[in-house]
Amino acid sequence: MNLTLAILKPDTVAAGNAGKVLAHLEEKGFTIRGLRVLHLTPAQAEAFYAVHRERPFFASLTAFMSSGPVVVLALERDGAIAKWREVMGATDPGKA
């Protein structure tokens, strides 16, 4: 079994879709090993996404991620990382 981190973003939480996403993840074979609702500070979002600091979208990304509550998950299943990427789909807004 493998673990991976997942974050349900502020727009998902605000729209009331977190429960639907959790149910979908369980249907896809994930076990939720941990779950926490957080409201990231701008400094926490900047630290988490530091790898993107030089990208033009960094400021808008960190502002968005600190704009409201997020749900942070520890997900477990065989091939968790690859399956999470498959379930999540495209992350580039132009391709999503």
Side-chain angles (χ1 to χ4, degrees):
M1 292 297 211
N2 306 110
L3 286 171
T4 192
L5 169 78
I7 302 175
L8 305 185
K9 297 179 180 179
D11 55 346
T12 298
V13 176
N17 291 324
K20 293 175 190 172
V21 173
L22 296 174
H24 182 70
L25 291 171
E26 289 180 326
E27 289 171 9
K28 294 297 182 180
F30 287 97
T31 299
I32 299 166
R33 290 292 177 209
L35 179 149
R36 182 173 286 180
V37 178
L38 302 172
H39 193 140
L40 298 174
T41 66
Q44 288 170 321
E46 289 171 7
F48 184 77
Y49 290 104
V51 67
H52 299 299
R53 186 171 301 281
E54 301 305 319
R55 303 286 200 131
F57 58 80
F58 180 75
S60 62
L61 171 64
T62 56
F64 170 65
M65 290 303 292
S66 60
S67 69
V70 297
V71 177
V72 180
L73 305 163
L75 300 174
E76 182 179 57
R77 68 162 279 153
D78 287 332
I81 295 168
K83 187 65 176 180
W84 173 236
R85 288 181 178 152
E86 176 189 322
V87 169
M88 181 175 31
T91 58
D92 178 343
K95 297 176 184 175

